[in-house]
Amino acid sequence: MSNPRHPSRPMFWRIIRRLLTANRGRLFVILLALGAGAAVTAALLNVKIDANRRLTTEFRALGANVIVAPRNRSAEADHTLDQSVFQQIPSSLDRQHVGVLAILYVTADAFAPASKKPTQIVVAGQQGDLGAEITGAGFGKGIDFIGGSFSNAKPSCWLGATAAGHLRVKASDLLRLQSGGREEICRVDLVRSVGGPEDDQVTLELGLAQRLAASPGRISLIQISAPGTPRSIDNYIAALQGQLPGVDVRPIRQFTEAEGKIYNRISDLLTATVAVVLILTTLCVMAAMTNVAMERKNDVGLMKAIGGTTGRVLRLFLAEAAVLGLIGGILGAAAGILISIGLGKAVFGVAAQPRLIVYPVAVTLTILVALAGAYPLRRLASIRPASVFRGE
C-alpha cells in the first residue's frame, strides 16, 4: 500500500524553496547571523580541543613530570635501582610516546686539560631520552647550543655551561674524571645551557658512569615525561605503582597541577564564550523570525483556509529554519576551522590542527540555534483565516 503522504512531499519542498527565495534580504541577514555564529563556535571549539594537546606538548618540553626512585631511604639502604626497572616502564600512553630517561648520579673529581688541580663535580650517566634531551646530533627544545664538535675518538660527554666556566673547558677538550680510584676520560662534544641543575653537571653515557661508580646495572632514578591530561597521567602513575611495587613512583606536582589549572581555565573560558555566542546568535535569528511571522499572516491564513493544519504549517517554517541553519552551519563551520588555525598560532605559537569532530558538532549546534530562533513563528498557530481575510 502506497504512503498517502508521499504525494505531498514534492509540494512541501516546493513551498520551502519559495519561502527561502521570497525575501532575499531577510535570507541574507539570517544566514549571516547563523554563519558568523557557526564560524566563531567552530573556531573556539577547535582551539579548545587542540589546546590540551598543545599544552601537554609545551609542558613536556620542560622535562619530566613523573619520577621513579628507590622507596627505602634509610641511611643503611642502597639508594639505587636495578636497571631492569627501566626496561619495565611502558613506552606509550594513549598512543603517544612516553619519554623515559634512566640516570645514575656520581660525584667525581674532574681534571681540565690545563690544570692538575681537580674540581669536584656531579656526573650524570644517562640512557634514554625525554624528548627535550639531546638525541643523537639533534637538540631538543629548551636547550641552548653553545658549542660542540662531535667526535668518535673518545667517549663523548656533555658539559653544562656553568661547569664549563668553572673548569675552563670548551668543546673538543678532553675531560678526565676520577672517583674512588677509577678513571674515565671523555671528549666534551657539547657545552649546553638548559637553565637547570644540568648546567652544573657532566652528562655522559650510562655505562661510563656505572664503571666510574663501580655500580654495574644500577641507576639512581628514572625520569618520565608522560603526555596527556592530568587525569590520564594520574592513571598512568597508578598503573606504574601497581606494576612496580618495590619502588617509589610519584608525580612532579608543579608540572601536572599547573598544566591542569591552565587547561581548565582555558577550557572554561572557551566554553563560556561559545555559550554566549550561541545565545546572541539565537537572539539575532529570533528578531529576524519575528518580522517573518508578521509578514506571513496572509500566507498562513490562506494555507489554513484550504485545509492546512496548524502542525503542518509550523513544520513548513521549522523546516525552513533548519535548512537555513544547515546552510549557515556548513559554510560558517568551514570558515571557523580555518580561523582556528591562525588563532591557535597566535595563542600557542603553533597552528591548531583541524579536528574532524568539530565540524558536525558546530553544524548541529547551528541547526539547533536556528530552530530555537524560529520560536516566534509559533505565533502563526493562533491565526484565524477569517480574521486574515477581513484584514484584521
Side-chain angles (χ1 to χ4, degrees), residues 85-100:
V85 176
F86 173 71
Q87 308 297 332
Q88 301 177 45
I89 305 297
S91 60
S92 64
L93 173 61
D94 296 334
R95 298 182 179 180
Q96 299 184 67
H97 174 69
V98 173
V100 185

Side-chain angles (χ1 to χ4, degrees), residues 320-385:
E320 178 190 10
V323 171
L324 289 173
L326 178 63
I327 297 173
I330 290 175
L331 297 177
I337 291 178
L338 294 177
I339 293 173
S340 70
I341 296 175
L343 185 61
K345 190 170 184 178
V347 175
F348 300 105
V350 182
Q353 180 178 345
R355 304 291 176 170
L356 295 180
I357 187 61
V358 171
Y359 196 81
V361 170
V363 173
T364 302
L365 289 174
T366 305
I367 294 175
L368 294 177
V369 165
L371 293 175
Y375 181 80
L377 296 178
R378 293 178 59 88
R379 296 174 56 185
L380 299 175
S382 61
I383 294 177
R384 297 180 179 180

